[in-house]
Amino acid sequence: MSNAEKNLISVEDLVVEYHSGGETIHAVNGVSFSLEKGKTIGLVGETGAGKTSIAKAILRILPDHATQAVRGKINFKGQELLSIPEKEMCALRGKSISMIFQDPMTALNPVKPVVEQIAEGLRRHQNMSKAQSIQGAIKMLETVGISEDRAYEYPHQFSGGMKQRVVIAIALACNPELLIADEPTTALDVTIQAQVMDLMKNLQKELGTALILITHDLGVVAEVCDYVAVVYAGQVVEYGSREEVFDHPSHPYTVGLFGALPDLSKNVHRLSPVEGLPPDPSNLPEGCSFAPRCPRALEGCRKAPVGMSKIGDTHIVRCLLDGKEDSHGTVRD
Amino acid sequence: MARYIGKRLLQMIPILIVVAILIFSLMSFVPGDPVQIMLGDNATPEQIMETRASLGLDKPFISRLGSYLADLARLDFGKSYTQGTAVGAELMARFPKTLTLAFFSIIFTIVIGIPIGIQCAINANKLSDKVWMFLTMLGNSMPGFWLALLLVILFSVKLGWLPSSGDSGLNYFILPVIANSIGSLADIARQTRSSMLEVIRSDYVVTARSKGLSERDVIWKHALPNALIPIITVCGSRFGFMLGGTVIIESVFSIAGIGTYMVNGINSRDYPIVQGSIIYIAFIFAFIMLLTDLIYAYVDPRIKAQYISAGSKSKKRERGGIRKSYGKE
């Protein structure tokens, strides 16, 4: 992680604050991670954990009217994204970094033919003429499995799955180096989910794109990601390679997430959900933000913020227990 | 689409018939006798009887209504009691003046009002937005005739730049257009602001931004087309009202338009003039509403799809049509 040269993007101490009704909402509280070219990181966490805010902060598309502060460092290929002028950021958006949005139903402009919504990105970044860009957009649509004769239709004539394909086509149109996919399959049918994930994986392989995958689906993470960052209340509480996190989940929250997954190999009558609710982001607890829900919280957890500690090669965890005990309460070697 | 337009045009006929019957009955039962007003207080009963007979007012209500509707079917609006001129011809003669005033007023309203609204939405709750919103509130609540008089005092009396009254050239219309537009302009600006504010925060605008489009393209190509529907609605009804004749502005600037014609008709109980004007206004409104509905379809493909699916099932052909027109752009 320390090798800045090798990293395509590194996020350091990212803080995002919103304001709402006179209160400050602490959506992201010091998130750090980095990603090499062509690799995939999964940001996992509950709704409201700040995953989307992280993504939007990277692209600098947080809503102006609600955002109070964005602090920290986001280094993309040597450029400091949070401090470059808007014009340079515009040149990166959609070209070097692009994003697949969560809800395909609302992410497309209802009054523009889909082909045009893809083509305008091509015109903006690849210096194409109108005709060339339309050709390019049609090709892109074919890549995601939409035939040319539907290219001139409007979003309302498409099903949810097809809309999501269009959203993906928009994001991939200019062969970005970094793709941020914000729950790309959440709004879709299970049958289409697999198709869309396959599509993204194939395209990633072909184009060598690095992927930040935001999801709460651990199954998807297990399938696609090289690294996993578990996000809770705007903080990374556990980070590591897929194997490290899946084989030795060390933060009690991660353990809880796995416990909430149905396991067909065991005969369990009830899933064990993580008890309680995430903390109110306008009023975070003083100590570890998971402490109020943590089955194993110590006295020290509630007093002061807990730092990250290294417990494996790339495996780090924000817990006083340092992952010394696994989910069954036994000591790990 | 042609089918839809045809259907809408046919629907206008019953509307106009109902309006004609209503206004004819209303005028017949309203107090005040046109003959009495025409002849004055010194008229003898014989004179009154004679005039009454010559205008056909001695016949029973039903037969008068019947012959009026029969005339209407031949586009004959009857003759003015007081002036003896054909109402239809007079309306036609006055229409260009009202149209000139209304057309330039609505253009002025759109060209100035929409950009103000957009700027306000972009800078929502900042100082410039607050200043504009205050000004538009002022514009909205200021009576048109008062503004008209202020404009005349400044530009005609003090500076002598523009004529204060008359309608014999385009420069005569500058002050009336401004006075006529301020209210609608303020209205459109406010409508644009609120409708843009809603759209600017929507997901597809974020998508547009994430493609790296310039802020100008995001606003004008993605946000505005989606914010247009309520703006078009307001523009349509404002334009309808303007075409119906703006009595006060026409009076202040002595423009011989339809508004003054109708008011004169009402004052002298000149039934044919009032009835003719009202039917004209009903027609104009129905026509403008059809026009706005067609503009909706042009702006929003979802609305167009509704019209087409309600009209016929030639969806395939329409698809080709969209594509062709798109290729031309």
Side-chain angles (χ1 to χ4, degrees):
Chain A
M1 277 201 22
S2 54
N3 194 348
E5 304 278 296
K6 226 172 71 188
N7 290 332
L8 181 69
I9 183 166
S10 65
V11 176
E12 246 176 87
D13 265 328
L14 179 68
V15 173
V16 177
E17 285 166 2
Y18 298 115
H19 52 79
S20 159
E23 282 184 322
T24 303
I25 312 284
H26 302 274
V28 180
N29 308 300
V31 161
S32 306
F33 64 88
S34 57
L35 189 62
E36 296 133 49
K37 198 171 181 306
K39 297 284 186 191
T40 301
I41 184 172
L43 299 184
V44 190
E46 283 166 285
T47 313
K51 295 166 292 172
T52 303
S53 297
I54 297 171
K56 288 190 170 173
I58 293 173
L59 266 179
R60 275 186 26 193
I61 50 172
L62 287 162
D64 263 345
H65 57 96
T67 310
Q68 184 171 304
V70 183
R71 290 190 298 271
K73 281 185 185 157
I74 300 175
N75 190 300
F76 178 77
K77 288 171 72 187
Q79 272 181 301
E80 188 48 54
L81 293 190
L82 289 182
S83 55
I84 59 173
E86 177 63 23
K87 215 174 161 189
E88 285 171 37
M89 193 66 219
C90 263
L92 285 178
R93 270 189 218 124
K95 184 176 185 236
S96 306
I97 311 175
S98 56
M99 182 161 170
I100 296 171
F101 290 90
Q102 188 168 3
D103 187 355
M105 299 302 169
T106 56
L108 294 174
N109 189 335
V111 305
K112 269 176 179 277
V114 293
V115 69
E116 171 58 18
Q117 300 194 37
I118 302 168
E120 68 184 344
L122 291 171
R123 281 204 296 283
R124 167 78 178 83
H125 296 299
Q126 318 271 51
N127 243 335
M128 287 184 177
S129 71
K130 181 119 196 170
Q132 282 174 319
S133 70
I134 297 281
Q135 277 314 309
I138 288 174
K139 228 190 210 159
M140 202 62 228
L141 278 173
E142 276 165 358
T143 315
V144 297
I146 294 172
S147 64
E148 187 184 347
D149 58 308
R150 301 210 57 185
Y152 294 88
E153 290 185 10
Y154 292 90
H156 72 269
Q157 290 162 294
F158 281 48
S159 69
M162 289 186 76
K163 277 186 209 166
Q164 187 62 291
R165 285 155 189 263
V166 175
V167 172
I168 292 174
I170 290 175
L172 294 176
C174 299
N175 302 344
E177 293 163 84
L178 174 66
L179 177 64
I180 305 170
D182 186 2
E183 311 209 2
T185 56
T186 306
L188 302 179
D189 266 310
V190 185
T191 46
I192 301 164
Q193 279 183 11
Q195 278 181 36
V196 169
M197 282 318 300
D198 282 345
L199 180 73
M200 278 176 37
K201 264 199 299 191
N202 288 340
L203 293 171
Q204 193 192 7
K205 221 180 283 167
E206 269 170 46
L207 307 171
T209 307
L211 175 65
I212 298 178
L213 180 68
I214 296 171
T215 182
H216 48 238
D217 186 341
L218 288 166
V220 171
V221 174
E223 217 176 300
V224 195
C225 297
D226 302 302
Y227 300 99
V228 183
V230 180
V231 183
Y232 184 79
Q235 285 184 318
V236 174
V237 293
E238 183 164 1
Y239 174 91
S241 67
R242 174 179 57 184
E243 291 77 16
E244 285 170 327
V245 175
F246 275 70
D247 295 346
H248 306 289
S250 302
H251 194 278
Y253 178 62
T254 318
V255 174
L257 282 184
F258 283 110
L261 276 183
D263 185 347
L264 293 179
S265 63
K266 288 177 196 148
N267 191 8
V268 182
H269 286 292
R270 292 190 63 149
L271 297 174
S272 47
V274 183
E275 297 291 340
L277 291 170
D280 174 5
S282 65
N283 184 21
L284 290 171
E286 236 172 85
C288 169
S289 41
F290 188 61
R293 294 168 81 180
C294 184
R296 302 164 64 204
L298 304 170
E299 195 59 32
C301 294
R302 299 178 208 278
K303 283 196 179 132
V306 177
M308 288 289 226
S309 34
K310 195 166 175 183
I311 57 169
D313 227 2
T314 55
H315 201 177
I316 48 176
V317 64
R318 192 184 291 278
C319 183
L320 289 180
L321 296 169
D322 285 357
K324 278 177 196 123
E325 287 169 277
D326 69 13
S327 56
H328 305 293
T330 52
V331 178
R332 228 175 86 195
D333 45 332
Chain B
M1 210 59 193
R3 238 185 113 126
Y4 174 79
I5 298 172
K7 210 171 82 186
R8 286 286 302 267
L9 286 173
L10 284 179
Q11 279 171 0
M12 277 160 68
I13 295 172
I15 295 174
L16 292 177
I17 292 175
V18 170
V19 168
I21 294 173
L22 272 179
I23 187 63
F24 189 91
S25 317
L26 218 63
M27 289 311 289
S28 302
F29 297 120
V30 98
D33 183 354
V35 177
Q36 194 79 56
I37 293 171
M38 267 166 72
L39 300 178
D41 290 339
N42 300 327
T44 59
E46 289 77 28
Q47 276 178 309
I48 289 179
M49 287 291 283
E50 202 178 303
T51 317
R52 204 173 271 279
S54 74
L55 294 176
L57 285 171
D58 52 345
K59 295 196 193 101
F61 167 74
I62 288 295
S63 81
R64 277 188 291 132
L65 175 62
S67 63
Y68 184 69
L69 289 180
D71 286 348
L72 268 189
R74 284 179 276 116
L75 293 180
D76 179 2
F77 288 84
K79 278 194 174 120
S80 157
Y81 294 162
T82 48
Q83 296 157 8
T85 49
V87 172
E90 186 71 24
L91 282 174
M92 289 299 281
R94 285 167 176 265
F95 179 67
K97 306 232 157 107
T98 297
L99 179 66
T100 310
L101 181 58
F103 178 74
F104 285 109
S105 297
I106 199 71
I107 294 289
F108 190 70
T109 298
I110 291 170
V111 169
I112 309 280
I114 292 180
I116 290 177
I118 293 175
Q119 282 310 312
C120 286
I122 294 172
N123 302 309
N125 298 324
K126 293 191 187 139
L127 182 67
S128 69
D129 173 42
K130 284 179 182 156
V131 170
W132 275 115
M133 280 303 105
F134 174 75
L135 289 177
T136 53
M137 195 178 68
L138 212 65
N140 231 343
S141 44
M142 191 160 45
F145 73 91
W146 183 65
L147 179 73
L149 292 175
L150 288 184
L151 286 172
V152 167
I153 290 172
L154 179 62
F155 290 103
S156 307
V157 180
K158 286 252 187 303
L159 297 170
W161 290 354
L162 292 164
S164 65
S165 70
D167 53 15
S168 41
L170 274 186
N171 60 329
Y172 284 85
F173 281 94
I174 296 174
L175 292 183
V177 162
I178 295 173
N180 198 17
S181 313
I182 293 300
S184 2
L185 194 155
D187 218 19
I188 295 286
R190 297 180 84 88
Q191 180 65 60
T192 306
R193 177 184 182 272
S194 68
S195 148
M196 278 297 277
L197 267 184
E198 213 169 286
V199 171
I200 275 178
R201 294 174 186 177
S202 63
D203 286 352
Y204 50 82
V205 169
V206 179
T207 309
R209 228 167 246 143
S210 79
K211 290 179 206 169
L213 301 181
S214 66
E215 192 59 23
R216 225 188 74 204
D217 280 358
V218 169
I219 295 296
W220 288 88
K221 292 190 180 164
H222 284 269
L224 184 62
N226 281 286
L228 275 180
I229 296 291
I231 301 172
I232 293 167
T233 312
V234 178
C235 285
S237 73
R238 283 288 183 166
F239 190 46
F241 275 111
M242 288 172 180
L243 277 178
T246 33
V247 179
I248 292 167
I249 299 295
E250 285 178 9
S251 312
V252 171
F253 292 100
S254 318
I255 295 170
I258 285 164
T260 41
Y261 187 54
M262 182 170 68
V263 169
N264 292 341
I266 293 172
N267 286 338
S268 55
R269 298 289 184 279
D270 200 331
Y271 298 163
I273 291 183
V274 181
Q275 289 154 7
S277 312
I278 295 289
I279 291 169
Y280 154 80
I281 288 173
F283 170 76
I284 283 291
F285 253 90
F287 187 73
I288 295 293
M289 289 303 134
L290 171 60
L291 218 59
T292 31
D293 284 351
L294 292 179
I295 296 175
Y296 287 164
Y298 178 74
V299 168
D300 193 331
R302 287 166 297 183
I303 296 177
K304 187 172 192 170
Q306 276 173 25
Y307 292 171
I308 292 166
S309 65
S312 70
K313 291 189 175 71
S314 59
K315 207 173 175 180
K316 263 259 140 46
R317 210 178 53 209
E318 200 58 42
R319 235 182 239 166
I322 293 169
R323 181 191 229 163
K324 218 193 301 162
S325 70
Y326 187 73
K328 268 185 222 150
E329 277 173 21

